[in-house]
């Protein structure tokens, strides 16, 4: 068992609030190491706590088409989806503060909450400048920093607002837990966490506003 009693109690409480089905797609290895095994078990334990959370498990060595579909580059990974909503990718084992991140996204996908009106207006007012190509946004977080929760919420707001305000899904949003993938700290040249790494070229440390993410990712940064 990966989740302790307190984590299970918190998850059960929060998952009880969702109103539509959410899928957690787990990508793991056929011959699992400890990290892959714990990521899979955590997803399975969440699904036991709510009938509206389902889990699908794929062996990466036999799932090339799915890896390309979801644009995954590292294993283990979770892809969080629901009907008519953009997906979010989470790399690594989401425990400690990153467990809050996982619950926030699952409950966000499973709720009927709309995007922030002011963010929608910002998106629509700048629609003419919107990128017509895919944009990768990697959020690098430490599971031991509580600011990671706020940073992930900002990323999720932008992903949701793009879909609602522009009708597009150009953002490929990923959350990467650096304790499990420390190479991303060096790759992004991050000097503090959490931080955004946009299109493998722009690094933005926390704190950042929703509008700044939209400006750099969608409106004319190229």
């Amino acid at each position: 068992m990966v989740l302790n009693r307190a984590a299970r109690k918190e998850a059960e409480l929060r998952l009880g609030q969702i109103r539509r089905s959410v899928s957690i797609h787990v990508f793991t290895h056929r011959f699992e190491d400890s990290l892959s095994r714990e990521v899979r078990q955590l997803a399975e334990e969440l699904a036991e706590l709510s009938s509206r959370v389902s889990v699908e498990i794929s062996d990466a060595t036999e799932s090339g088409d799915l890896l390309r579909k979801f644009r995954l580059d590292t294993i283990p990974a979770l892809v969080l989806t629901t009907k008519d909503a953009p997906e979010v990718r989470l790399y690594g084992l989401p425990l400690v503060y990153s467990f809050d991140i996982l619950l926030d996204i699952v409950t966000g996908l499973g709720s009927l909450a709309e995007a922030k009106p002011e963010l929608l207006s910002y998106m629509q007012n700048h629609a003419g400048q919107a990128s017509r190509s895919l944009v990768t946004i990697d959020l690098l977080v430490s599971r031991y920093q509580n600011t990671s929760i706020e940073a992930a919420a900002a990323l999720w707001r932008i992903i949701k607002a793009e879909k609602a305000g522009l009708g597009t899904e150009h953002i490929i949003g990923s959350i990467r837990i650096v304790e499990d993938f420390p190479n991303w700290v060096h790759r992004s040249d991050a000097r503090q966490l959490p931080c955004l790494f946009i299109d493998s070229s722009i690094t933005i440390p926390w704190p950042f506003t929703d509008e700044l993410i939209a400006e750099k990712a969608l409106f004319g940064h190229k």
Side-chain angles (χ1 to χ4, degrees):
M1 183 175 291
V2 177
L3 299 177
N4 64 19
R5 183 178 299 178
R8 291 177 68 87
K9 182 177 180 180
E10 177 68 15
E12 189 170 22
L13 176 66
R14 296 189 59 186
L15 296 178
Q17 301 169 11
I18 66 177
R19 295 293 175 262
R20 59 181 176 179
S21 298
V22 176
S23 171
I24 303 177
H25 200 144
V26 183
F27 288 84
T28 183
H29 296 279
R30 177 184 305 171
F31 305 113
E32 291 179 323
D33 59 6
S34 59
L35 175 61
S36 296
R37 181 173 60 255
E38 288 182 319
V39 168
R40 173 182 54 78
Q41 290 176 339
L42 185 150
E44 291 171 335
E45 289 173 28
L46 278 187
E48 293 172 358
L49 300 176
S50 172
S51 61
R52 288 193 169 95
V53 176
S54 62
V55 170
E56 183 174 353
I57 300 169
S58 293
D59 174 2
T61 60
E62 299 178 352
S63 306
D65 289 344
L66 285 173
L67 293 175
R68 286 186 289 273
K69 174 186 175 181
F70 292 124
R71 297 181 174 86
L72 299 175
D73 55 50
T74 305
I75 303 299
L78 303 176
V79 180
L80 312 174
T81 63
T82 192
K83 184 179 180 181
D84 298 325
E87 67 254 10
V88 179
R89 300 148 197 80
L90 201 158
Y91 295 95
L93 179 62
L95 288 177
V96 196
Y97 289 115
S98 55
F99 185 59
D100 283 293
I101 293 175
L102 175 61
L103 291 181
D104 283 348
I105 296 173
V106 171
T107 55
L109 287 166
S111 73
L112 303 177
E114 298 181 352
K116 290 172 58 179
E118 58 270 33
L119 191 51
L120 282 177
S121 296
Y122 181 87
M123 290 281 190
Q124 291 162 353
N125 290 340
H126 293 77
Q129 306 169 39
S131 172
R132 289 178 170 79
S133 58
L134 296 177
V135 179
T136 61
I137 305 183
D138 293 289
L139 175 64
L140 311 186
V141 301
S142 166
R143 65 167 61 94
Y144 301 110
Q145 291 181 318
N146 61 3
T147 49
S148 298
I149 301 171
E150 299 175 69
L155 175 60
W156 169 238
R157 287 194 297 270
I158 291 297
I159 293 172
K160 183 164 61 172
E162 185 210 352
K163 170 77 170 179
L166 301 178
T168 60
E169 295 182 44
H170 290 155
I171 294 175
I172 303 172
S174 301
I175 298 168
R176 300 180 187 266
I177 299 170
V178 299
E179 283 81 13
D180 299 321
F181 301 104
N183 60 301
W184 276 86
V185 175
H186 304 292
R187 181 172 175 177
S188 64
D189 196 27
R191 290 178 171 80
Q192 76 178 63
L193 297 173
C195 74
L196 294 172
F197 191 39
I198 301 175
D199 266 354
S200 297
S201 61
I202 300 173
T203 302
I204 306 174
W206 178 259
F208 34 76
T209 64
D210 296 353
E211 290 76 13
L212 178 62
I213 304 173
E215 175 191 342
K216 296 296 185 182
L218 292 173
F219 302 129
H221 78 278
K222 295 183 178 180

